[in-house]
Amino acid sequence: KNEVEQSPQNLTAQEGEFITINCSYSVGISALHWLQQHPGGGIVSLFMLSSGKKKHGRLIATINIQEKHSSLHITASHPRDSAVYICAVRTKAAGNKLTFGGGTRVLVKP
Amino acid sequence: SAVISQKPSRDICQRGTSLTIQCQVDSQVTMMFWYRQQPGQSLTLIATANQGSEATYESGFVIDKFPISRPNLTFSTLTVSNMSPEDSSIYLCSVVRTSGRAEEQYFGPGTRLTVT
């Protein structure tokens, strides 16, 4: 069974600060997702990674397959970035189902 | 991307009643899933909705409590039966679409259910 650990659980930043959220997993994966959940509950898929690095706007996601670790970075953070960020991994052994981390609650203050 | 809509977006229901949640996708998808997110918790997979056959349920979830239908490749329903306050959660529909070799997973906006 794949264990997915996120850190930190909670993060408060001032507007403009650089934010990093970490995700570690225990078993080899076929893909890793970073998801964003706003207070209303809906989930948006930010990135799907199997290797390397992806960038979209102010968001950057990296993954190190050997170390079983991924990071999500938010540059020049803004109050609208306040949300819960969830790491989820897909493994073939689990029938390609997602295993979710516990989430990181991010609050960006103006 | 896949556009997913869910109905209702939220509801407040009385104990003992049932609620059916609908999930509609704007294009045909390979797989459809139903998740539950209890307050303060991460997502838990309830079942995989199979087109034209019975859903595949995860451990701890049973068809009598969470009957699921998937009559075609773009639509599914989840019913929460005989509700109790413990069923208060966000219920999310999720789909996987295959494009070439790539598989992308998308999530719906969720249905926030409160049982009183």
Side-chain angles (χ1 to χ4, degrees), chain A residues 56-77:
Chain A
H56 182 72
R58 295 179 294 105
L59 301 177
I60 303 167
T62 64
I63 188 168
N64 185 317
I65 298 296
Q66 287 73 30
E67 295 186 2
K68 296 185 175 62
H69 179 269
S70 175
S71 294
L72 176 68
H73 307 285
I74 306 175
T75 63
S77 60

Side-chain angles (χ1 to χ4, degrees), chain A residues 13-65:
Chain A
Q14 288 298 129
E15 183 173 357
E17 287 184 345
F18 183 85
I19 291 172
T20 295
I21 303 167
N22 296 299
C23 175
S24 297
Y25 50 92
S26 57
V27 178
I29 62 171
S30 55
L32 182 145
H33 294 256
W34 280 104
L35 311 171
Q36 180 190 56
Q37 185 173 34
H38 280 283
I43 289 181
V44 174
S45 181
L46 298 174
F47 295 104
M48 187 182 76
L49 295 163
S50 55
S51 65
K53 175 180 174 179
K54 286 189 177 180
K55 184 177 189 291
H56 182 72
R58 295 179 294 105
L59 301 177
I60 303 167
T62 64
I63 188 168
N64 185 317
I65 298 296

Side-chain angles (χ1 to χ4, degrees), chain A residues 33 35 37 39-43 45 48 90 97-98 100-101, chain B residues 35 37 42-43 45 58 90 92 103-105 107-109 112:
Chain A
H33 294 256
L35 311 171
Q37 185 173 34
I43 289 181
S45 181
M48 187 182 76
R90 183 190 305 280
K97 296 172 187 172
L98 291 178
F100 295 87
Chain B
Y35 289 89
Q37 186 181 33
S42 191
L43 282 76
L45 180 63
E58 297 299 303
I90 297 173
L92 292 126
E103 282 190 342
E104 291 278 355
Q105 184 153 359
F107 289 84
R112 187 181 290 272

Side-chain angles (χ1 to χ4, degrees), chain B residues 47-84:
Chain B
T48 304
N50 299 311
Q51 193 259 329
S53 64
E54 190 173 289
T56 305
Y57 289 85
E58 297 299 303
S59 175
F61 296 96
V62 295
I63 188 171
D64 289 346
K65 176 68 176 176
F66 296 103
I68 288 171
S69 79
R70 188 180 173 190
N72 56 52
L73 293 175
T74 63
F75 184 79
S76 178
T77 67
L78 167 74
T79 299
V80 186
S81 303
N82 188 24
M83 288 184 283
S84 67

